[in-house]
Amino acid sequence: MTAAMQAVCALADIPDGGSRGIWPNARGQHQAFVVRQGGQVYGYVNNCPHYDRARLGWKKDAFLNGPGDRIMCASHGALFRITDGKCEIGPCIGQSLRPIAVRVREGHVFTEPPH
Amino acid sequence: MRIIGPDELVFGVDNLDASTAFLTDYGLTSAGDGRFEALDKTAITLRAKDDADLPPPLPTASLLRLTIWGVEDQATLDAIEAELGTDRPVIKDDSGMLRCKDDAGFEIAFRISHRVKLDLPAELINSPGAAPGRAMNAIGANQDAEAKPRTLSHIVYFVPDMDLMANFYIDRLGFVVTDKFTNTGPFLRPQANNDHHVLFMIQTPAYMQGIEHLAFHMQGPTELMLAGSRMVQKGYESFWGPGRHKFGSNWFWYFSSPLGTHVEYDADMDMHDGAWIEREVPMDKEAAQLFLFENVEKWAPGGPPPAGGTKAGTAPEGP
């Protein structure tokens, strides 16, 4: 684990199969988010590759499509693979979300800061 | 042709519960059967993505399945059927609604508008030099005002060939260009509507084709601010605004939505008639808005009480 990593939430704070915004800025906007699948947690910068500075969610902690099998950008419906952030359909097809390093240790989720 | 504007937009979604909650919180009223109405009965309709009755989806991420245009009368419907029937299949359903595709491949329909005529006050303001807008003792800032969308205002599409699409609406359906962003697209209004635009398009690669945003008109800027602030308080993601556009002059506040499109509140849009001459400027951030605000948590100016615990100028307590 690198020194820059910080605890962002407990694993139990993320519903299994769900998502959660992390790293709020001074205005309370989440700069990154994590998606949990069982014990595995994936983290990405909250920025759609389609528009500069476009955050993905449509509501606090809501970053997934209905079935919960893709990350969805609520701006124009782009769908990204949860495991590697690659856009499969949508305005940024072929591009990818920027991943952030995530570690789960003793029930806590640690990530590097969004960059 | 007496086309009024978008009457109803139909989406096929994979998250009916989330989309229902969003449209309800946005201020539309559930009318049953997946339809969510503005005050004048223009509407957004939600269906499950795999609903067999829906027109086929685009091969993109767009969840919009049908744009229904409202027209004034049967004569207009007949004229549209005759015009578009010359080069494409036009299906008439039992209700008399016409369905076909436009030249960009969007599924569209036409029907006699379901709009009801609204008789509601505008936002009333007091301005020095002018007669008072509000009666004496009438309050302007009402925290509890309903702030409900009044009518479906406009729709904006991503489209791979904006000239092909714009010319379809101009040449075949009589839409008028009010203004134009060079290389981006024209603002269009139909003949039975004076609003600056009911239709706008942004040229994009084909894999992006779909809906960019939709908007409903609010009473005025105050209602727009009130409705948008309530969305933020409920945790919804503000995308752009509040602010005021230049072309159209409308106030705006855009939100991201589970329908995979931005959903805008707008207010106080310019109206034009045949005397208007279109303007054209390059699209950039200066051209897009007159000004832009950002919602922040409420605060009020003030300071800590003075040292010593006694307010300056107040008499000491005592018998």
Side-chain angles (χ1 to χ4, degrees):
Chain A
M1 195 179 300
T2 65
M5 290 187 107
Q6 291 186 22
V8 293
C9 62
L11 182 62
D13 290 337
I14 318 168
D16 193 4
S19 58
R20 183 180 173 92
I22 56 173
W23 293 95
N25 65 11
R27 290 175 179 172
Q29 298 161 336
H30 291 119
Q31 304 303 292
F33 62 94
V34 281
V35 182
R36 176 179 171 192
Q37 298 201 312
Q40 191 74 37
V41 178
Y42 304 90
Y44 295 99
V45 177
N46 187 11
N47 196 357
C48 182
H50 169 213
Y51 274 159
D52 183 33
R53 292 184 296 173
R55 294 182 294 275
L56 279 84
W58 50 273
K59 197 171 187 182
K60 186 178 180 302
D61 299 332
F63 295 91
L64 303 180
N65 64 347
D69 60 0
R70 294 287 185 280
I71 295 162
M72 181 179 97
C73 179
S75 281
H76 302 114
L79 296 176
F80 304 84
R81 285 200 296 250
I82 290 172
T83 50
D84 63 3
K86 186 159 188 183
C87 177
E88 294 180 314
I89 188 169
C92 41
I93 191 165
Q95 296 178 267
S96 293
L97 299 171
R98 187 194 294 263
I100 56 171
V102 179
R103 291 281 286 277
V104 180
R105 181 171 290 182
E106 293 172 357
H108 287 276
V109 179
F110 298 80
T111 83
E112 62 179 333
H115 49 86
Chain B
M1 286 179 187
R2 302 296 292 170
I3 299 171
I4 300 170
D7 228 40
E8 184 172 336
L9 304 175
V10 183
F11 287 80
V13 301
D14 66 4
N15 48 13
L16 276 169
D17 290 348
S19 297
T20 294
F22 176 88
L23 293 179
T24 306
D25 286 337
Y26 174 78
L28 300 179
T29 301
S30 173
D33 197 28
R35 204 167 75 254
F36 295 85
E37 293 178 343
L39 294 180
D40 76 341
K41 308 288 184 194
T42 51
I44 304 292
T45 291
L46 298 177
R47 294 269 181 264
K49 198 172 185 171
D50 55 3
D51 187 324
D53 291 337
L54 286 177
L58 288 166
T60 65
S62 181
L63 303 178
L64 176 69
R65 300 291 279 272
L66 182 65
T67 301
I68 302 173
W69 294 93
V71 310
E72 270 187 359
D73 50 29
Q74 187 60 44
T76 299
L77 275 187
D78 293 343
I80 291 169
E81 185 177 18
E83 170 63 32
L84 299 184
T86 57
D87 64 348
R88 72 201 66 210
V90 177
I91 301 159
K92 186 188 286 192
D93 74 10
D94 295 342
S95 72
M97 184 168 85
L98 306 174
R99 257 196 48 203
C100 62
K101 286 187 181 190
D102 70 12
D103 281 356
F106 286 107
E107 297 280 349
I108 56 174
F110 301 88
R111 72 181 182 205
I112 295 177
S113 178
H114 290 189
R115 283 169 168 77
V116 296
K117 193 172 171 56
L118 297 179
D119 182 15
L120 297 169
E123 179 169 339
L124 303 174
I125 66 165
N126 295 325
S127 181
R134 292 193 300 279
M136 289 304 116
N137 309 316
I139 302 300
N142 177 7
Q143 181 80 50
D144 303 319
E146 263 205 314
K148 290 215 174 266
R150 290 190 168 189
T151 183
L152 185 50
S153 162
H154 62 271
I155 178 167
V156 174
Y157 298 99
F158 284 142
V159 62
D161 187 338
M162 68 175 186
D163 290 329
L164 182 72
M165 179 156 174
N167 288 339
F168 171 79
Y169 286 91
I170 295 165
D171 297 339
R172 310 292 297 278
L173 298 170
F175 282 50
V176 179
V177 178
T178 49
D179 283 319
K180 197 169 182 183
F181 282 135
T182 311
N183 298 326
T184 300
F187 292 88
L188 296 169
R189 68 171 182 87
Q191 288 177 8
N193 195 327
N194 296 107
D195 276 356
H196 176 270
H197 58 280
V198 305
L199 173 61
F200 178 63
M201 56 208 73
I202 298 170
Q203 177 137 333
T204 65
Y207 60 79
M208 286 178 64
Q209 184 169 348
I211 179 171
E212 201 290 320
H213 77 258
L214 63 95
F216 283 82
H217 285 313
M218 304 299 288
Q219 179 195 38
T222 302
E223 259 203 359
L224 176 146
M225 300 282 185
L226 200 56
S229 300
R230 287 173 182 164
M231 290 293 278
V232 170
Q233 282 159 16
K234 287 177 178 161
Y236 290 105
E237 185 74 73
S238 165
F239 174 73
W240 183 22
R244 190 167 199 181
H245 284 309
K246 284 187 177 171
F247 280 177
S249 300
N250 49 300
W251 295 78
F252 64 84
W253 199 342
Y254 297 82
F255 286 83
S256 297
S257 83
L259 285 70
T261 180
H262 294 135
V263 177
E264 179 193 2
Y265 292 113
D266 87 18
D268 193 10
M269 182 182 273
D270 291 333
M271 292 185 152
H272 296 291
D273 61 17
W276 175 249
I277 295 167
E278 69 182 78
R279 301 167 291 183
E280 179 167 343
V281 298
M283 169 65 175
D284 64 25
K285 60 180 188 285
E286 285 306 316
Q289 57 218 314
L290 190 61
F291 37 68
L292 175 65
F293 308 125
E294 189 169 9
N295 182 274
V296 296
E297 206 170 311
K298 281 181 181 169
W299 70 284
T310 305
K311 283 185 186 170
T314 56
E317 283 181 335

